[in-house]
């Protein structure tokens, strides 16, 4: 009995001494690899951007943005209107837009550069949007203390929160839909083409014979008749 007890005690002591060392030397589990950036999933986690997500998908701008973020080094800043921002629009506003205008509206909320919250204080205005350049497709950002204000010429609002930010993508919440002048104001009339200049005809070809030239021709003709009549008279006198 004693040898068996000693053997059991030795085995238990061995297990207690060596097993913690073996477990401590086991490699730690590797963190799960980060998946590709997905703009709509970022917005879904925000919980109040269903209308903007629907517009992103309907215009396929989500595919464009995800491609830029995952396949290029292009950086993006998004001003995402909340569902309450869309609710405050005049009834029928979105339904009145065609597909191209809906895409332009979504693109107007996207800045093709990364802007951290501190960079709003030094950014140069006006900001070019994904919709294009030019005063009708640009917006202005100003800061007052910690407040970031956005103006489009039709909309005045401010950034009310940060939804997501890393070194390539920044998403900020705005409580009004940013309305571009290019969609919601009449487009300026296309200037009429300048009248085509007519080529000047040469003076000789354009103007008829002047009166002075015509009178000169008449004078020479009369003189010829007088001379001819005089010659005939002299010839008649000598013939008598």
């Amino acid at each position: 009995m004693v040898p068996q007890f000693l053997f059991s005690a030795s085995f238990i002591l061995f297990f207690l001494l060596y097993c913690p060392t073996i477990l401590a030397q086991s490699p730690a589990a590797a963190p799960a690899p980060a998946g590709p950036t997905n703009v709509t999933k970022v917005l879904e986690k925000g919980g109040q951007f269903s209308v903007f997500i629907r517009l992103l998908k309907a215009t396929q701008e989500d595919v464009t943005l995800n491609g830029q973020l995952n396949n290029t080094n292009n950086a993006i800043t998004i001003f995402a209107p909340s569902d309450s921002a869309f609710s405050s629009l005049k009834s029928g506003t979105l339904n009145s837009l065609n597909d191209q205008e809906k895409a332009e509206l979504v693109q107007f909320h996207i800045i093709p550069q990364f802007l951290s919250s501190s960079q709003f204080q030094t950014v140069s205005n006006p900001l070019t949007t994904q919709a294009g350049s030019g005063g009708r497709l640009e917006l202005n950002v100003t800061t007052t203390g910690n407040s970031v204000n956005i103006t489009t010429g039709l909309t005045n609002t401010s950034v009310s929160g940060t939804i997501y930010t890393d070194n390539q993508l920044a998403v900020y919440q705005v409580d009004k839909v940013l309305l571009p002048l290019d969609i919601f104001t009449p487009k300026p009339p296309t200037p009429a083409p300048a009248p085509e200049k007519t080529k000047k005809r040469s003076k000789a070809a354009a103007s008829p014979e002047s009166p002075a030239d015509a009178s000169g021709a008449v004078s020479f003709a009369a003189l010829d008749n007088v001379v001819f009549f005089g010659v005939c008279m002299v010839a008649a006198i000598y013939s008598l």
Side-chain angles (χ1 to χ4, degrees), residues 198-228:
T198 56
K199 295 182 179 179
K200 292 183 178 181
R201 298 167 58 190
S202 63
K203 186 176 180 180
S207 59
E209 188 178 17
S210 64
D213 294 338
S215 63
V218 172
S219 299
F220 280 114
L223 181 60
D224 288 342
N225 291 335
V226 171
V227 172
F228 177 75

Side-chain angles (χ1 to χ4, degrees), residues 61-76:
E61 287 300 320
D62 61 328
V63 177
T64 301
L65 292 175
N66 291 336
Q68 291 177 353
L69 292 170
N70 295 301
N71 300 325
T72 72
N73 293 323
N74 295 346
I76 294 169

Side-chain angles (χ1 to χ4, degrees), residues 187-200:
K187 290 181 171 57
T190 304
E196 188 175 337
K197 293 183 178 180
T198 56
K199 295 182 179 179
K200 292 183 178 181

Side-chain angles (χ1 to χ4, degrees), residues 142-154:
T142 57
T143 57
T144 304
N146 294 326
S147 176
V148 179
N149 306 307
I150 305 172
T151 59
T152 72
L154 290 175

Side-chain angles (χ1 to χ4, degrees), residues 44-83:
E44 285 171 357
K45 289 181 179 179
Q48 51 181 333
F49 303 97
S50 59
V51 178
F52 191 56
I53 291 171
R54 189 165 66 247
L55 281 174
L56 282 167
K57 292 181 177 180
T59 58
Q60 296 189 332
E61 287 300 320
D62 61 328
V63 177
T64 301
L65 292 175
N66 291 336
Q68 291 177 353
L69 292 170
N70 295 301
N71 300 325
T72 72
N73 293 323
N74 295 346
I76 294 169
T77 299
I78 300 176
F79 296 117
S82 61
D83 290 337

Side-chain angles (χ1 to χ4, degrees), residues 232-240:
C232 291
M233 289 294 292
V234 172
I237 292 172
Y238 277 103
S239 64
L240 293 175

Side-chain angles (χ1 to χ4, degrees), residues 85-97 179 184:
F86 282 100
S87 298
S88 65
L89 288 175
K90 184 179 178 181
S91 178
T93 297
L94 292 181
N95 292 334
S96 67
L97 304 180
L179 304 178
F184 295 97

